[in-house]
Amino acid sequence: MNERRRAAPRHESRLVGQRTAHGGERGTPALTLFDLDHTLLSGDSDVLWCNFLMDQGVLDRAIFAPRNADMEARYQAGTVGVQEFADFYVGTLAGRTAQQWEPLRQAFLAAHIVPRIGVAARRLVRQHLDAGDLVVLTTATNRFITELTAQHLGIVHLMATDVEVVDGIFTGHTRGTLNMREGKVVRLHEWLTMRGAKLPQFTSTAYSDSANDLPLLLAVDRAVAVNADPRLREAAAQRGWKNINLE
């Protein structure tokens, strides 16, 4: 990976001068990016949400179960279209307000998300937070579903696929750049720019399980494969990336 000259960002002064436990240079702030599904979470938030709604009778199992399985398989294979993937899962929210969804969202978090975040994953997140890193949860799953997960983990900064709301009602459509594959890198740069910073000003680390996140992993200083899928395991071996298991 090409070496980059780094300077302390003007608007991240609270991080400047800290030396992290993760290899950051003295005076260089650390930026740590965590993927969610199959990385910190044992499972896929979108797939679990779909299954949950079928169990609740909100979605017709005969229609959605085969589509859900197909979408998951093609995502893992890296063959599903980004917009197609996002539209399918964001579409499950259509026709209701956030307030109407809230009881189900809270129940989903408690029953299907919290129990699937293991001790090792929690410890790793806490290690980076305690070191003073700027920690970001970055996921292809939509913001409405994942913002409670970020809060549960104590992660303030969330990058996720944004959903369209008109007159308070979810339309079932996405909004803006989808936070998936190359979109994760685009969104990261946009977010940093809004903070008055640039990626080379940080010692950056990204954790992910999926080859879908190769654009992000290639963009940072230190890539770590977590519970890696076969395609990412191969890429990690070729590039000498660390491969860890949090399950």
Side-chain angles (χ1 to χ4, degrees):
M1 183 174 294
N2 294 332
E3 292 185 359
R4 298 176 299 183
R5 185 177 180 181
R6 305 180 183 90
R10 297 178 182 175
H11 301 289
E12 293 297 334
S13 57
R14 67 183 180 85
L15 296 176
V16 173
Q18 296 178 352
R19 184 180 179 88
T20 76
H22 313 293
E25 299 175 359
R26 187 177 299 278
T28 305
L31 169 67
T32 300
L33 302 130
F34 286 103
D35 174 52
L36 176 60
D37 300 327
H38 295 292
T39 301
L40 297 178
L41 177 72
S42 181
D44 184 288
S45 300
D46 278 321
V47 174
L48 292 169
W49 172 252
C50 215
N51 288 335
F52 171 69
L53 294 185
M54 288 187 284
D55 290 342
Q56 297 295 313
V58 176
L59 298 179
D60 187 331
R61 187 175 300 276
I63 295 173
F64 279 90
R67 294 179 62 192
N68 192 26
D70 173 67
M71 201 66 62
E72 180 181 24
R74 288 194 288 134
Y75 174 83
Q76 292 175 353
T79 58
V80 70
V82 173
Q83 192 67 58
E84 178 189 11
F85 179 86
D87 285 347
F88 175 71
Y89 289 109
V90 170
T92 64
L93 299 173
R96 298 191 188 194
T97 66
Q99 184 177 7
Q100 290 170 329
W101 277 119
E102 190 59 22
L104 285 171
R105 185 172 74 145
Q106 293 287 347
F108 173 67
L109 175 75
H112 297 280
I113 298 299
V114 172
R116 287 180 167 85
I117 303 175
V119 173
R122 295 175 186 275
R123 185 183 300 121
L124 181 60
V125 171
R126 179 46 53 188
Q127 182 181 0
H128 281 282
L129 289 170
D130 289 348
D133 295 9
L134 179 60
V135 177
V136 178
L137 185 64
T138 179
T139 175
T141 303
N142 72 76
R143 181 175 302 276
F144 183 72
I145 299 302
T146 56
E147 60 187 357
L148 294 184
T149 308
Q151 292 170 17
H152 176 77
L153 287 166
I155 298 176
V156 174
H157 306 291
L158 171 66
M159 294 181 202
T161 293
D162 290 315
V163 297
E164 183 183 67
V165 177
V166 176
D167 295 331
I169 299 173
F170 290 109
T171 65
H173 300 301
T174 59
R175 180 173 57 83
T177 301
L178 303 180
N179 200 54
M180 182 173 165
R181 296 182 187 147
E182 291 81 1
K184 282 193 175 184
V185 180
V186 173
R187 292 283 299 274
L188 173 61
H189 286 299
E190 291 176 346
W191 180 76
L192 287 171
T193 297
M194 289 176 60
R195 296 174 65 86
K198 295 182 182 296
L199 186 58
Q201 295 171 321
F202 296 85
T203 298
S204 53
T205 301
Y207 293 88
S208 178
D209 72 293
S210 174
N212 285 290
D213 281 338
L214 276 172
L216 179 65
L217 294 169
L218 289 167
V220 299
D221 297 309
R222 177 173 174 258
V224 182
V226 182
N227 314 322
D229 65 27
R231 293 187 299 130
L232 179 57
R233 194 179 308 121
E234 180 180 358
Q238 292 173 348
R239 293 169 171 82
W241 293 344
K242 189 174 182 180
N243 194 348
I244 65 174
N245 192 330
L246 294 181
E247 294 182 342

